[in-house]
Amino acid sequence: MASFKRWMVGSPIKTARLTHERLTKKIALAIFASDALSSTAYATEQILLVLAAAYMAGQTGSFGKVIPISIAIGALLIIVATSYRQTIRAYPSGGGAFIVAKENLGTTPGLIAGASLLIDYCLTVSVSTSAGVEAITSAMVGTRFAWLHDHRVALCFFFITFIMLANLRGVREAGSFFAAPSYAFIVSFLGLIGYGLISYYISPDVAPIPDDANMKIAEGYGVQSLGLFLLLGAFANGCAALTGIEAISNGVQAFKQPESKNAAITLTWMAALLVTMFIGASVLAYLFGVHPQHRETVISQIARAVFTGPVGWFYYVVQATTAGILVLAANTSFSGFPRLASLLAKDRFLPRQLANLGDRLVFSNGIVVLALFSGTLVWAFGADTSRLIPLYAVGVFLGFTLSQSGMVVHWWKEGKQLKAMRAAVATGNVGGDKPIEKKRSAEVMLTGKLDPSRLTKSGEEPKTVAEVAALEKKSHWRKYLAINGVGALSTFLVLTVFLVTKFTHGAWIVVVLIPLMVFMFKRIHRHYIEVAEQLSTEGLSQLRPIHHEVIVPISGIHRGVIEALEYAKSIAPHHVTAVYVNLDDEAARKLREKWQQWGSGVNLVVVASPYRSLARPLLNYVDRVKRTKKGVVTIVLPEFVPAKWWQNLLHNQNTLFLKGALLFKKGIVVTNVPYHLEH
Amino acid sequence: MASFKRWMVGSPIKTARLTHERLTKKIALAIFASDALSSTAYATEQILLVLAAAYMAGQTGSFGKVIPISIAIGALLIIVATSYRQTIRAYPSGGGAFIVAKENLGTTPGLIAGASLLIDYCLTVSVSTSAGVEAITSAMVGTRFAWLHDHRVALCFFFITFIMLANLRGVREAGSFFAAPSYAFIVSFLGLIGYGLISYYISPDVAPIPDDANMKIAEGYGVQSLGLFLLLGAFANGCAALTGIEAISNGVQAFKQPESKNAAITLTWMAALLVTMFIGASVLAYLFGVHPQHRETVISQIARAVFTGPVGWFYYVVQATTAGILVLAANTSFSGFPRLASLLAKDRFLPRQLANLGDRLVFSNGIVVLALFSGTLVWAFGADTSRLIPLYAVGVFLGFTLSQSGMVVHWWKEGKQLKAMRAAVATGNVGGDKPIEKKRSAEVMLTGKLDPSRLTKSGEEPKTVAEVAALEKKSHWRKYLAINGVGALSTFLVLTVFLVTKFTHGAWIVVVLIPLMVFMFKRIHRHYIEVAEQLSTEGLSQLRPIHHEVIVPISGIHRGVIEALEYAKSIAPHHVTAVYVNLDDEAARKLREKWQQWGSGVNLVVVASPYRSLARPLLNYVDRVKRTKKGVVTIVLPEFVPAKWWQNLLHNQNTLFLKGALLFKKGIVVTNVPYHLEH
């Protein structure tokens, strides 16, 4: 068992190597961007699926709306990315929505953000693997592997297991492992867009005849004409393109030093690539007149239309790299989920086991938990991306909104802090203790310990008006507050749109789940606090002597029993009682005779058992002793340890039953004295 | 949980009531005969199913062979029943094939008989419930409950569970519970035969037109013309009628006193009823031209044909009582299987748990095991009687053959004993000790202790030639040997026929299984013998003093740890070491400081853990102590007992892992000192 684990996940790594497991920008882009970039594989399709409802109602031009909707989403994406650059700068040690919301808005908003992020990590894994598997089955349409379409759930399970194992091996090995497919996807997808646009302008009549008999409509939409509700629904669906953009800000601490700067640069690159690829895909879908289908993805249809003739083989490159990045995008969550779970666990909001680094320096428990939950989601929704999407973006945008709101508060506090400094300097109170200024000084304290960036070059608090003015100039808090304010407002609006348009399509599940999770976090937290209080050594001063009685239940006289009696005598020489349950008068009489030889001063008690039960009379006897004697009662149980496992089936499990029955009694200690059988 | 069990199976019964749980002849007939008599519900059909292979080949007269085949089986039945009457007389304490074969032929033949009987008990339950359910679904043909046909497995599970619960309540309650349906079946079936014969002779043209499109052929038979192989196959299939005839001889001890006589009378009644009903059913099937069908049993077709017009309702009486006795026939096995398993367990050939009387004075474990195995069989064979039949009779006839052969040896030994007596009397050696006669006297001893029936009226060994002659006259051993010899020979012939005709249809499973089971019996036996040897107190004279070291693994200083240290000091005041695994240098330093206050003379050892594992360094330390110190090492583990079960999920299960790792080490005792959390 142990060696199987070693073979799967590798040898243990020493704690001392912890700081070396950091990521370069290139590998970090591959790891953290795969989620965001891979959403281009399905975001355009999610818009078309909603517009299809109007197309089916006869409005054949409705698919044209994909262009303005995509541009609007692109603009939103730039706003959100800009907002997150600031978060990275303000939280160099890693500023996920949980931390930002908790520090600036309070514990409950922090927990709400934490819950929504945990849900989204699961959904990222489910949606990405499902979409990846769809990319594979799309490529199989018309080949003799078309039957793979019916085994999408099994394929997803295979990929989830694969990624889980890769992650259990450790984050850097996982990184280099995933860098190649990420870059292959970026190159082939940009190639698709470039070649597609060029070949369209050379011969614009390449559009295939759409197969409207197999047209697919988004989950929950009936055929209807194009109105505001449909447009908003299409917009909300397309916002799936934004998922994953926050990944970098959650994982700043995984970057090489300087973490903050490297993370910000990586985020900018990612956003630029994402906007280009997403809008490019939407434009191609429009130009080539692609309609959403049941058994083939939109990207697959585009690539089939673009790459014909001598470059036909490139279609398979696109599908393979798309599947690659999608399935591996799930990997983002396998870095993020365990990291967030460990943060929550360290704050005692989740079981402490999730805070433990495994022997490969990764949070192994979190990795396994994520694989289980996301696998369950895939199974429950039949590995169908379009059915999972309505659950997806609620949590994402709730996290965005809370995180950006937290940043607004953050900058506002900074402004307040600077104002307090200026006031302190003006009255000459820096370092002083004049009582009249106490209130203001307290205000400086209130806003938390001083941000390093709020110190002068010499590393001290500003002492002059000029120094404060220099800091204020460096701060830009008003500008930053405005940027994050715009981010918060726009993501909140999208969240509202999402809740209105998708509530009945599945979003309600997340709306119900988040409060439940927050409640669970708080219950867990209360339990840990209560345990800590109960375990406090307050009121104790040193070890106290205790008295104890020993009871040895025996079934006769044999070597196992003799060893148990010897042990019992050694731990409490003058307080041992052997108890025998009388199931057979003749056997009891013989035992009493033998006791002359073996008793050695140990008291023998024979208890009656009219109903042939062993446990009941013994438990009654123990209760009686417990009531009459002070201190601890130790039950010494003789126990066989057979040489082979199957031999356990051949022995009564009385010892086990007794142990179970005694486990929850106070003041009782159960000790097994094992007797090892040879063969 | 406990109260649910009480509600299902009733309150416990005191051991003292054991002897009162005996059966009257009437109730015994209901219990033990239900298996044998119920086979009339399917035995005729099993013959027709084989003959159908020839009918389909165009030999329309082939179904007529059912009459001679049934008569042959009836004759065999009378031979076997006569043989078993002798077994009952010779083994008044219960002479199942296991006991008879073991005593007379040796252990291995006894175990073979035991294995075959255990298999047959399982098959009896499976076949009977399946046939009972078929009786129900046959009656539903053409009604709106016809869909029940597709849920036969589920129906079987329901009935098996029901009978299991009835038996867990105790044998007498079960008996009175089942008497009514048994007698209802006997009356209605004899009514069917009588009314059927009369109405046929009044108007012989009532035969329905057979629906040959739905004709069913026995499992494993292709369409073929009527040859010896087919006739033998039909005969072998029909021998299913004999199953259950041995039930009474296995359960003699369940009868009221005089057990032996009551059992023999009951057996005779049963055999008479069985022959009448079986041949009657075959005759009716022939007269009414019934052909085996897929969705309706032969008995159901007969009853439909016989009861028409104003007496049509009696059809439902026949089906209901047939279903009743079949489903309840399974009950025979629920008396027999646990009884045989307990005999094997008492001889240490099966796990001893099977020898325990449960708290309702029945062998509860055996009852549950039987329900599980038979349920599995039903599931594996889709509750189809005709697929189970080929497995059935191998074990039955193997048991018959071994049992009858054992009886032959039994009578032969009796003859030998009488001869030795005559010789002893002739030389005047009775009670004497002349050396020249020692050999002959030894021969008397060899044949075992004297049978009570071999004593004279005064209760002593015969002393005169006349007394020996009187005994010889009373003995009839030659006649009895002949009867059992005929029984053994004929059942052996049928066994051979069965193996030849059914081997590939499923009988091979039983042929493979029996040696495996005998092997298992012997392995289990060897284990118990070896355990007894290892536990023997030979070489020991009294309790020896032992030395022990105590190790307390600690994770810090809190109330739970303090209680564990107090406990450790109380059991070995000067030999306690606390061990701390260093996962964090800072925490280790703090602990050392605190130890000044809390140590109280207890030695503190801090061990390093470069791979963040808790268990590994601890286990290494324990090994080191074990190597250097003599005697026992006790590990005292502080352990939380949370107030609510779900709180267990919030604590590391380190204690559990450690316990598991230490359980199989010699000379190590693990003691948990529980610390009970309040909320």
Side-chain angles (χ1 to χ4, degrees), chain A residues 154-177:
Chain A
L155 285 170
C156 285
F157 285 172
F158 169 79
F159 287 120
I160 290 173
T161 310
F162 177 79
I163 302 167
M164 179 188 77
L165 291 176
N167 275 276
L168 288 174
R169 294 189 76 92
V171 69
R172 202 169 55 172
E173 275 180 57
S176 43
F177 192 84

Side-chain angles (χ1 to χ4, degrees), chain B residues 405-434:
Chain B
S405 309
M407 288 310 295
V408 169
V409 172
H410 175 87
W411 300 125
W412 179 76
K413 278 186 185 169
E414 181 161 315
K416 225 171 133 188
Q417 204 181 9
L418 284 168
K419 207 170 133 195
M421 277 180 185
R422 176 182 286 269
V425 171
T427 55
N429 190 39
V430 173
D433 55 350
K434 291 193 183 156

Side-chain angles (χ1 to χ4, degrees), chain B residues 327-340:
Chain B
V327 170
L328 301 183
N331 189 53
T332 314
S333 297
F334 279 91
S335 318
F337 182 96
R339 219 181 279 272
L340 176 58

Side-chain angles (χ1 to χ4, degrees), chain B residues 18 43 45 66 77 82 84 121 143 159 173 202 212 224 254-255 361 364 394 487 505 626 633 653:
Chain B
L18 187 56
E45 175 160 355
V66 71
L77 200 154
T82 312
Y84 267 106
Y121 283 129
T143 74
F159 287 121
E173 275 179 56
I202 290 170
D212 290 347
Q224 56 189 283
F255 279 81
L361 287 176
S364 317
V394 179
H505 306 168
K626 188 79 203 112
V633 174
Q653 303 305 314

Side-chain angles (χ1 to χ4, degrees), chain B residues 140-302:
Chain B
M140 297 305 151
V141 168
T143 74
R144 63 200 168 94
F145 296 107
W147 52 268
L148 276 174
H149 184 81
D150 302 324
H151 297 86
R152 285 171 297 160
V153 172
L155 285 169
C156 285
F157 285 172
F158 170 78
F159 287 121
I160 290 173
T161 310
F162 177 79
I163 302 166
M164 180 187 77
L165 290 176
N167 275 276
L168 287 174
R169 295 191 75 93
V171 69
R172 202 170 56 173
E173 275 179 56
S176 42
F177 192 84
F178 295 143
S182 292
Y183 285 107
F185 171 72
I186 294 170
V187 170
S188 73
F189 206 86
L190 290 176
L192 169 68
I193 294 167
Y195 189 83
L197 290 176
I198 291 165
S199 61
Y200 181 81
Y201 283 105
I202 290 170
S203 62
D205 52 349
V206 290
I209 297 143
D211 176 13
D212 290 347
N214 275 321
M215 190 178 291
K216 191 175 177 182
I217 302 184
E219 179 83 5
Y221 284 91
V223 171
Q224 56 189 283
S225 61
L226 198 64
L228 181 64
F229 187 76
L230 210 61
L231 282 174
L232 286 177
F235 171 79
N237 250 17
C239 282
L242 269 76
T243 59
I245 206 164
E246 82 291 356
I248 290 175
S249 71
N250 290 329
V252 180
Q253 51 188 332
F255 279 81
K256 281 206 169 154
Q257 282 154 337
E259 293 96 344
S260 184
K261 198 181 154 200
N262 285 332
I265 293 169
T266 311
L267 176 59
T268 306
W269 267 102
M270 186 177 87
L273 279 169
L274 183 49
V275 172
T276 312
M277 288 158 74
F278 169 56
I279 296 184
S282 295
V283 169
L284 284 186
Y286 172 69
L287 294 180
F288 285 85
V290 170
H291 296 177
Q293 302 284 318
H294 269 290
R295 297 177 72 96
E296 189 169 4
T297 65
V298 164
I299 297 297
S300 170
Q301 293 181 62
I302 294 174

Side-chain angles (χ1 to χ4, degrees), chain A residues 325-384:
Chain A
I325 197 164
L326 272 166
V327 170
L328 301 184
N331 188 53
T332 314
S333 298
F334 279 91
S335 318
F337 181 96
R339 219 181 279 271
L340 175 58
S342 86
L343 284 178
L344 282 161
K346 273 176 196 145
D347 284 355
R348 298 274 183 265
F349 289 112
L350 276 179
R352 62 206 305 170
Q353 291 93 321
L354 292 169
N356 296 347
L357 276 175
D359 54 19
R360 293 282 296 179
L361 287 177
V362 292
F363 298 105
S364 318
N365 292 330
I367 290 171
V368 174
V369 167
L370 174 62
L372 291 177
F373 279 127
S374 55
T376 309
L377 273 173
V378 164
W379 173 78
F381 288 87
D384 185 338

